[in-house]
Amino acid sequence: MAVVVGIAEPRRPGGLAVRVVAVAACYYAAARLGLLRELTVEGAVVTPIWPPTGVAVAALLIFGLRCWPGVTLGAFLAVLSLTTPGVEVLGVLFGNTAAPLCAALLLRRAGFRTDLSRLRDGLALVFLAALAAMLISATVGAGFLVLTDGLPAASFWPVWLAWWVGDAMGVLIVTPLLLSLHRARLPLPLGRWREATALAVVACLLVPLAAYSPISTLFLVYPVVIWAALRFQLVGSVLCALLTSVVATVAAADGVGAFAGLDRIEVMLKLQAFNGATALTALLLSAVIIEQRNTRDSVEKACQELVEVLEHLTAGEAPPPRPRPHTDESGDSDGSGDPGDTDDRPSPSGIP
């Protein structure tokens, strides 16, 4: 997943081929990581967090919609590593490709900014990309399993729910992490590194304690997530949410700590409720903080410009000409649009 970074927008077929292969490799690597911990629901093996969906959505937002074959190829390689492909694989491949594509298109229509600098960006990622678009992969995938007799009809809804939540959690946790790493600027000042180290130590000590304690103390992780959001915005809060979700998933798969004594359905429901609440807290709180910080910076800049105008007027001089706001190719006047999408704009028909 580390190779999903910003690159120059190549217009040659070879550049697109490189992107497709990179996306496929990232998707497959994320799938292997997601399969390290599994839960069985109604006889079907599911993963509480499916990272490839988050990788796919982030790749489509960063690299452009034309890299969608990489998602299909990565999904096929992931299925191939698990079982011999059958006719039901067509449904899985279609759903796993169509859901991220739909998510990226919905986010574009909503004016989504990949820096998640506004609360509306966080809400769009949650409700459009995670909750709405991932209905496609769950419905198509579970439906094809039922139609091909790979799953009993009575087990459709439990498997569908687990499938949908796993894909949604992948988008909620992995996509904002990759988008924030794509725009991260290093190195941090020395003082911030010290605080980041302290936060990492506290998180690594407190999160396993909360997850593996026989007493239900999962709520103890929320102060750490809030600390990370307040001080390190999206990168810090999403990393804490990812650590928390991974540790909680391992504890749930082992049936220990806060998940001891529960059946598989209860484990899944408790785990997904906790992971979802943690991811939402990290994402939305970070978006609010970033939006307020940007508003404060804009006000300070406006005040500084006003002071300069008043100084010129007091001296009897004409005010200096104000620079025109920069407008990038995506139409964002603040330059926050994604430069990697300039030649991948969807046509009016919605086909990339």
Side-chain angles (χ1 to χ4, degrees):
M1 291 183 290
V3 298
V4 181
V5 295
I7 60 176
E9 181 71 14
R11 300 183 182 272
R12 299 184 301 273
L16 177 60
V18 171
R19 281 204 243 175
V20 169
V21 173
V23 172
C26 293
Y27 192 103
Y28 176 76
R32 299 305 302 174
L33 289 175
L35 291 170
L36 292 178
R37 288 291 172 173
E38 305 168 348
L39 291 176
T40 302
V41 177
E42 297 293 328
V45 177
V46 297
T47 56
I49 303 174
W50 187 236
T53 56
V55 172
V57 174
L60 293 172
L61 292 174
I62 295 174
F63 291 158
L65 299 179
R66 292 182 181 178
C67 68
W68 69 264
V71 178
T72 306
L73 178 59
F76 177 74
L77 293 176
V79 173
L80 193 62
S81 67
L82 295 176
T83 183
T84 302
V87 66
E88 72 279 357
V89 173
L90 297 177
V92 174
L93 296 181
F94 176 80
N96 286 3
T97 304
L101 265 176
C102 181
L105 288 172
L106 289 175
L107 291 176
R108 285 191 172 192
R109 298 301 184 190
F112 178 77
R113 296 179 183 175
T114 56
D115 58 357
L116 291 165
S117 59
R118 304 168 301 176
L119 177 60
R120 59 177 291 186
D121 299 324
L123 294 175
L125 186 65
V126 172
F127 291 101
L128 295 181
L131 300 184
M134 295 305 117
L135 293 172
I136 298 175
S137 57
T139 303
V140 174
F144 259 75
L145 288 178
V146 172
L147 292 176
T148 57
D149 297 328
L151 184 71
S155 302
F156 173 81
W157 287 112
V159 174
W160 177 90
L161 179 61
W163 196 316
W164 174 58
V165 174
D167 284 353
M169 286 304 305
V171 175
L172 287 179
I173 294 179
V174 178
T175 297
L177 176 62
L178 295 179
L179 293 178
S180 60
L181 292 178
H182 168 60
R183 293 180 175 272
R185 296 295 180 265
L186 296 175
L188 292 175
L190 180 59
R192 300 301 304 277
W193 277 114
R194 292 173 179 172
E195 185 178 3
T197 302
L199 174 61
V201 171
V202 172
C204 291
L205 292 177
L206 185 60
V207 170
L209 177 64
Y212 282 87
S213 173
I215 306 174
S216 184
T217 55
L218 291 174
F219 60 88
L220 292 177
V221 306
Y222 290 107
V224 179
V225 175
I226 295 173
W227 175 14
L230 290 174
R231 298 297 297 162
F232 299 97
Q233 283 78 53
L234 191 63
V235 175
S237 63
V238 174
L239 282 174
C240 281
L242 178 61
L243 172 65
T244 300
S245 298
V246 169
V247 173
T249 299
V250 173
D254 294 338
V256 298
F259 304 93
L262 304 177
D263 60 36
R264 285 303 183 183
I265 299 296
E266 293 173 339
V267 167
M268 177 64 74
L269 292 177
K270 184 174 183 178
L271 175 64
Q272 301 297 20
F274 171 71
N275 286 344
T278 304
L280 287 174
T281 301
L283 181 59
L284 298 183
L285 182 58
S286 298
V288 170
I289 293 172
I290 295 174
E291 186 175 40
Q292 291 181 344
R293 185 188 63 184
N294 292 341
T295 301
R296 181 196 62 193
D297 293 342
S298 299
V299 171
E300 291 178 352
K301 182 178 179 180
C303 291
Q304 183 179 1
E305 293 177 352
L306 180 60
V307 169
E308 293 177 357
V309 170
L310 292 176
E311 289 177 349
H312 282 80
L313 292 176
T314 303
E317 303 174 355
R322 294 183 59 187
R324 297 182 62 182
H326 171 69
T327 302
D328 62 12
E329 298 180 12
S330 64
D332 290 333
S333 60
D334 59 356
S336 61
D338 186 2
D341 292 340
T342 56
D343 71 341
D344 287 331
R345 287 291 176 186
S347 63
S349 63
I351 301 177

